[in-house]
Each structure stands twice: as C-alpha cells, then as structure tokens.
C-alpha cells in the first residue's frame, strides 16, 4: 500500500498466472502451452524479417494479421471491419470488458471459468453475476435467462475442458438479442465447434481466439476477435484510446504466417488429441476421474482426494501441473497435454505416488 497509488489500485485483485519457475527444468504441464514448436513458416518469417525496420512503428491496424484471419475463415465471407487484433487475447478481452460489457445490468459468467474475467470486471468496475455450473461442471444455458448486460464464457471451458454445443450457443444468442455474448475460444481447435460460423447471423456475437495455445505462440502475444463491424468498432475505439500499436513488427509477420499454416495447426492438434486420449485412459486405470475434455488439458480428480499433495509431490519430481486452492476446484488437478514422452513420464510418476 502506498500513498502514491490511485485509490482504485488498492482494490485491484490481479490475476495470478501459472508459475514459470527458473530454479530447474520442469516438465511444464501447468499453463496450457503447446509442447510442439510453432509453425516453421512463422519461424521463417521471423528469420526473414528486416530487423532494421524495427526503428519504424508497426502498422497500427495489424492488417496482415487481419487478412490472414479472413483467409483462414474465408468460407464465412468476413471483411476486415469484422476482425480485431490485439496483444494476446487477454488484451483483446480487456478491451471487450471495457468497450462492450460495462452496462447497468450485470455481466454474467460461470463460477468456474477463466479467472481473468473477475479481474477485468473489477478493473473496469463492471457489476457481475456469477452463475454456478451444474454439479457435473457443465454449463446450463437456462441459468442465463435473466436480465444481463452481457455474457462471457470460454468454449471449451477452462479449467474443465468441457465444450458447449454450437446449438446451445445459438439458443443463447437468440435469447439475448440486446446483450453481447462473448465466446472465448482459446481452446476451440482441440475439439469444440467454433461460433465464427454464426457471426454473420448474430449482431450480438463476439468470438475471441488466440495464437497462444493451438498455434504454439504464447510468447509472441497475438489474439483476435471476430464479430460484426459495430462490435469491432467499439474495440477499435478502446484500443486507440489505449495503445495504437499492440502488435509489433515481428508479431505481425509471424502471427500472419502462423494463421495461414493450416497444415501445421492440424498436425499439432491431431498429436495433442491423440496424446490426450492415451493420457485419459492411463489416468482412469489409476482410478482418477477425468472430465470429458475438448481442450489441450484435462481436469482430473485423483482417487483418494489428494490433489494438493500430488501437485506438490509431482513438483518435487520435476513435473508442474496446476492446482487451484478454491472451492469446487480443490479436489482436482489441471494437467496440460504435453508430448507423448512427457505424459508417459507423468503417468510413471503418478503410478508410484498413488499405486
Ligand atoms: C490462455 C487463455 C487466454 C489468453 O491467451 P493469450 O495468451 O492472452 O492470448 C484467454 N482465454 C482463455 C480461456 C485462456 O485459457
């Protein structure tokens, strides 16, 4: 606490990212990073970039990335005015909270979802009603039939990995024509249906995606949103009141190349979903309960309720997983899907710890 702080800063409750310890090498299964390298085309674009041009500001509009997004989703016939780009999807989400979700009526989001949502709600002083998931951690769209100033949830959800069907999302959109429904698709490529196909039909839909997970570029910081021009304009207004150049020159060229490399995306997602299947089977054989995952992580309850203990013992053995010491979550571990070899090592260690 400092006399120099703005009053509001005293009340902030900042997001705590998964640990990135530097004391030793870990098998890192705690922050949903991709275990495989980014697209070789993205790396090539970085090598070929003219570094002397770093003396010049980048394109404030990020058009090469917007155009790559349009090409990637070309079957949906989008235009540049329907795409927004930002410094990671966290920044995109921050602008969404500021520009589209602050109203007199409360914002709705699930009690168990991305823990950045309450942080942004608090930062921008947005009233929120937190809606509990069902006991089985699925989202019941009927619970969202109440007056609201917006709805946001990840699909697939985090940290559960459970996906909501496109039909349910469409029902939600139809029931809430006067508020924005934000679908945070950070993990969509690992097994859920994208709502981008509904953007042309629904003026109240905003879809947010990131290059951090399925495209293995968490370190580059590129995210984007897709929605009708009216919603995107709000985000551009906020962005141009905050930082004109969210994507640097390297992020622009590498991000565009990564989005255009469909084949690499496909290969990475295939490998991860196969390893996910193997990991779930092995964990179930050890007596773990595993929620049905459509993401690059699994949410699992150890047989004897020793989640926190296992988190610590795995860390001591060089394997990092995520443990949330919060009601409803504290019996579970969230485990990112790594390479086949990393997951075999995890299973080997778990066999010793619970066997
Ligand atoms: C990882 C994640 C993001 C943020 O990703 P960026 O690295 O900021 O692009 C957003 N939403 C959810 C649900 C995530 O898990």
């Amino acid at each position: 606490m400092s006399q120099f702080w703005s009053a509001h800063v005293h009340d902030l409750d900042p997001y705590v990212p998964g640990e990135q310890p530097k004391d030793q090498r870990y098998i890192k299964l705690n922050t949903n990073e991709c275990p495989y390298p980014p697209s070789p085309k993205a790396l090539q674009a970085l090598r070929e970039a003219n570094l002397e041009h770093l003396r010049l500001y980048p394109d404030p509009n990020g058009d090469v990335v917007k155009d790559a997004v349009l090409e990637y989703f070309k079957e949906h016939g989008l235009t540049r005015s329907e795409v927004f780009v930002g410094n990671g999807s966290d920044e995109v989400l921050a602008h969404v909270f500021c520009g589209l979700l602050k109203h007199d009526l409360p914002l709705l989001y699930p009690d168990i979802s991305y823990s950045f949502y309450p942080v942004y709600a608090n930062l921008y002083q947005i009233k929120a009603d937190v809606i509990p998931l069902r006991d089985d951690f699925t989202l019941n769209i009927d619970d969202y039939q109440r007056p609201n100033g917006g709805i946001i949830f990840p699909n697939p959800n985090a940290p559960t990995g459970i996906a909501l069907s496109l039909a349910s999302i469409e029902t939600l959109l139809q029931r809430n024509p006067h508020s924005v429904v934000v679908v945070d698709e950070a993990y969509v490529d690992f097994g859920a249906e994208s709502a981008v196909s509904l953007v042309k039909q629904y003026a109240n839909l905003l879809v947010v995606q990131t290059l951090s997970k399925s495209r293995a570029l968490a370190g580059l910081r590129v995210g984007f949103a897709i929605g009708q021009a009216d919603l995107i304009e709000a985000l551009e207004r906020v962005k141009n009141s905050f930082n004109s150049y969210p994507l640097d020159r390297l992020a622009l060229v590498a991000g565009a190349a990564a989005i255009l490399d469909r084949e690499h995306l496909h290969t990475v997602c295939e490998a991860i979903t196969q390893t996910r299947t193997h990991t779930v089977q092995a964990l179930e054989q050890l007596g773990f309960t595993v929620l049905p995952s459509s993401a690059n992580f699994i949410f699992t309850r150890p047989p004897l309720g020793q989640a926190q203990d296992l988190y610590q013992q795995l860390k001591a053995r060089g394997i990092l997983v995520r443990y949330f010491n919060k009601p409803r979550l504290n019996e579970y571990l969230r485990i990112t899907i790594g390479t086949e070899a990393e997951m075999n090592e995890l299973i080997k260690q778990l066999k010793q710890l619970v066997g």
Side-chain angles (χ1 to χ4, degrees), residues 32 87-91 93 114 117 154 158 184 186-187 210-213 218 221-223:
N32 298 342
N87 188 262
S89 63
D90 284 339
E91 186 187 78
L93 289 167
Y114 190 33
Y117 302 159
D184 179 354
Y187 303 103
T210 174
L211 306 203
S212 296
K213 313 286 168 48
R221 312 308 302 134
V222 180

Side-chain angles (χ1 to χ4, degrees), residues 162-181:
I162 297 175
L164 191 64
S165 72
L166 196 57
S168 297
I169 291 173
E170 186 159 16
T171 304
L172 210 50
L173 289 162
Q174 288 165 349
R175 286 178 182 171
N176 293 279
H178 303 298
S179 48
V180 178
V181 176

Side-chain angles (χ1 to χ4, degrees), residues 283-298:
L283 286 172
E284 286 178 345
Q285 273 175 13
L286 290 175
F288 285 65
T289 305
V290 188
L291 301 191
S293 171
S294 301
N296 68 335
F297 57 85
I298 48 179

Side-chain angles (χ1 to χ4, degrees), residues 253-266:
V253 291
I259 292 166
L260 294 174
D261 193 350
R262 253 176 234 275
E263 210 180 292
H264 183 261
L265 175 73
H266 181 75

Side-chain angles (χ1 to χ4, degrees), residues 6-74:
S6 304
H8 181 43
V9 173
H10 295 286
D11 304 323
L12 295 182
D13 190 6
Y15 179 74
V16 183
E19 52 192 327
Q20 305 278 8
K22 295 176 184 70
D23 58 328
Q24 66 168 85
R25 274 179 72 91
Y26 286 96
I27 294 181
K28 255 192 110 271
L29 308 177
N30 69 326
T31 51
N32 298 342
E33 289 147 324
C34 182
Y36 301 108
S39 155
K41 291 179 179 157
L43 301 181
Q44 179 78 8
L46 288 173
R47 279 190 296 267
E48 287 171 1
N50 185 338
L51 298 183
E52 283 171 24
H53 284 173
L54 287 174
R55 73 189 171 78
L56 302 169
Y57 282 110
D59 173 12
N61 300 319
D63 281 341
V64 290
V65 172
K66 287 184 184 173
D67 288 350
V69 169
L70 296 182
E71 169 63 25
Y72 181 78
F73 290 108
K74 65 169 177 275

